[in-house]
Amino acid sequence: MSICTLFSHRSNLSHLPEELEKLYGPGSVELEGEADNWTQLTVTKRKVLRKVELVLTRKQRGGELDSMLAKLKHVVGAIPAQNEEVRKNLMLQIDHLNSALEVEAKTKLAGGEDVIFAVAKQMEGLIFYEGNKILNKKGVLVLDFKGRVHVPEFEVHTEGEEPIAVEDNGDDEAQERKARTEMYLEEMKIPMNIHLPVIRSSKNVTLRSLEEVIWRALCLNLVALKGEGLPMDTVKRIVVDHKLKPHFSPNEVDFVRVAETEESDRIQFAWRYESLFTLLWALGFTDELGYPGHICDVQAVVKLIYDSGGFTGLAESANLRSKEEILDELDRIYRLHWAVVDARLRDEPAPVGLEAGVVYERHYALNWLTGYQNADWDEVPTET
């Protein structure tokens, strides 16, 4: 049974076995896996007439850890904390966690707590303890699920070790946008989390260029068509005719170049129609996005792209919307996405007829459009 989980912004934990052997003696650490990339280690601390054995199982990004962090951030985001600045920084730190160790005791834990804190110190980590509290490496409470905070401040660390500055989003524009969205959610009777932070204001946002958005729309159109089953010879012809090759993301390149693709990939890329529809709205080709309760009119979207003739035709008619309009939609979809994720974690359907896939794709496209975390297309985060 898991006692706690240790989280770290560090992805390289190869130093841990050696450091723990220094503390608890030769032979106190047993590894599973390669020495520089182990998957599990057992620490034995010997005391008079008894011993303590802890098993530490490693989890890294790209698998189970991603799901763990998403759930943790979702819960932390809903807590009315005593110190809002600490909670906000903790939310940002969760985005920068790269590894975790799940701790289990093979013997009674008594006397083994110092092992946990020794590992946390070496990881520069956080301790998720008793299923409801987050401690720092010294065992001081950062935040529990009742909102209690016992640290005066909390620094955010990245893989590079240096603390990062947390952007102050608290200006009037951002606060007013949040308030408008919350009024909308209340009117629609959609569950909301009033503790979610504001999003960036227009002065802190640089939109993607008109050219970038058009090329992205054209690429999304093709990968979505291929996901639906567009023949490979037609795919190749469109890539050449519209000069799309330099503008695909790495994941799109892998999908477009092969004839035989996995069904899961085809489904994923077919959903990109919703991201495409969002970008077409941002380019001024449709008046409104509307409530994300159903998929877009795919035929109309594809026809618009086809009739345009490609980049030049779209560029002649496109008119990128203002940052304020785009941020209004982003704020709304961000908070709607929270409601969808919250329902999923409760094993409930998305509330008030929301279509989860549509919500996700809109959030993804708008985060990319506003340059969120400067992420390239394949890496756009959509945390809630």
Side-chain angles (χ1 to χ4, degrees), residues 9-200:
H9 59 279
R10 295 178 175 176
S11 55
N12 185 356
L13 302 180
S14 60
H15 67 294
L16 270 182
E18 181 181 353
E19 296 299 328
L20 291 173
E21 280 208 340
K22 289 179 183 177
L23 289 172
Y24 301 111
S28 59
V29 177
E30 294 182 11
L31 296 181
E32 287 189 15
E34 300 176 4
D36 60 349
N37 191 29
W38 49 268
T39 57
Q40 188 177 88
L41 59 83
T42 300
V43 183
T44 302
K45 175 188 174 186
R46 299 188 182 276
K47 302 188 72 174
V48 178
L49 300 179
R50 66 185 179 88
K51 65 180 180 180
V52 176
E53 284 187 286
L54 297 182
V55 179
L56 312 177
T57 303
R58 189 173 183 176
K59 302 180 186 301
Q60 293 177 289
R61 296 307 294 261
E64 184 181 352
L65 178 56
D66 290 356
S67 176
M68 293 169 64
L69 294 176
K71 290 178 181 178
L72 182 61
K73 186 172 182 181
H74 185 81
V75 172
V76 169
I79 295 173
Q82 291 174 342
N83 186 323
E84 181 60 23
E85 191 67 20
V86 167
R87 187 189 67 83
K88 182 174 70 173
N89 287 11
L90 180 58
M91 292 268 286
L92 184 57
Q93 181 65 78
I94 293 171
D95 288 336
H96 292 279
L97 295 176
N98 291 305
S99 59
L101 296 177
E102 193 168 49
V103 182
E104 298 180 74
K106 294 180 70 174
T107 60
K108 289 185 178 180
L109 178 62
E113 291 89 347
D114 66 315
V115 178
I116 293 173
F117 290 115
V119 176
K121 181 179 180 181
Q122 292 296 329
M123 295 173 68
E124 292 288 330
L126 293 171
I127 307 168
F128 183 50
Y129 195 62
E130 295 181 341
N132 62 7
K133 54 177 68 78
I134 299 171
L135 314 177
N136 65 16
K137 64 184 180 182
K138 297 179 180 179
V140 181
L141 181 69
V142 177
L143 180 70
D144 68 12
F145 288 3
K146 293 184 178 180
R148 291 175 291 202
V149 175
H150 292 172
V151 292
E153 60 184 5
F154 182 82
E155 283 189 338
V156 182
H157 290 264
T158 66
E159 184 82 38
E161 305 295 336
E162 293 298 322
I164 64 173
V166 180
E167 183 179 306
D168 181 10
N169 289 321
D171 62 24
D172 289 344
E173 177 198 327
Q175 294 289 354
E176 289 170 4
R177 180 174 287 113
K178 178 176 185 285
R180 290 196 302 272
T181 299
E182 289 177 344
M183 287 180 60
Y184 165 80
L185 296 175
E186 187 172 2
E187 291 171 1
M188 297 292 292
K189 302 190 184 310
I190 296 171
M192 76 175 86
N193 175 7
I194 62 173
H195 303 294
L196 285 182
V198 298
I199 65 169
R200 297 160 294 160

Side-chain angles (χ1 to χ4, degrees), residues 200 202 204-210 212-213 282 320-327 366 368-371:
R200 297 160 294 160
S202 57
N204 295 322
V205 166
T206 300
L207 297 179
R208 304 281 178 172
S209 69
L210 182 71
E212 280 184 283
V213 180
L320 195 60
R321 293 180 185 272
S322 69
K323 287 192 283 189
E324 289 76 14
E325 286 181 280
I326 290 169
L327 289 170
L366 290 171
W368 175 82
L369 181 61
T370 56

Side-chain angles (χ1 to χ4, degrees), residues 351-368:
V352 198
L354 289 168
E355 173 55 62
V358 174
V359 171
Y360 171 79
E361 292 293 336
R362 288 191 189 178
H363 193 184
Y364 198 102
L366 290 171
N367 271 355
W368 175 82

Side-chain angles (χ1 to χ4, degrees), residues 215-216 218-241 243-262 265-266 269-270 272 377-378:
W215 282 121
R216 181 98 300 271
L218 290 169
C219 291
L220 290 174
N221 180 65
L222 184 59
V223 297
L225 283 167
K226 187 174 189 293
E228 271 202 311
L230 190 69
M232 193 64 188
D233 57 346
T234 307
V235 170
K236 291 179 178 179
R237 177 174 54 77
I238 293 174
V239 171
V240 172
D241 289 350
K243 300 178 176 61
L244 296 181
K245 188 175 180 179
H247 305 286
F248 287 125
S249 72
N251 287 350
E252 289 168 344
V253 169
D254 290 342
F255 180 67
V256 166
R257 70 183 179 181
V258 295
E260 298 297 326
T261 54
E262 298 289 336
D265 290 335
R266 294 195 297 274
F269 280 102
R272 291 307 195 196
W377 178 259
D378 288 340

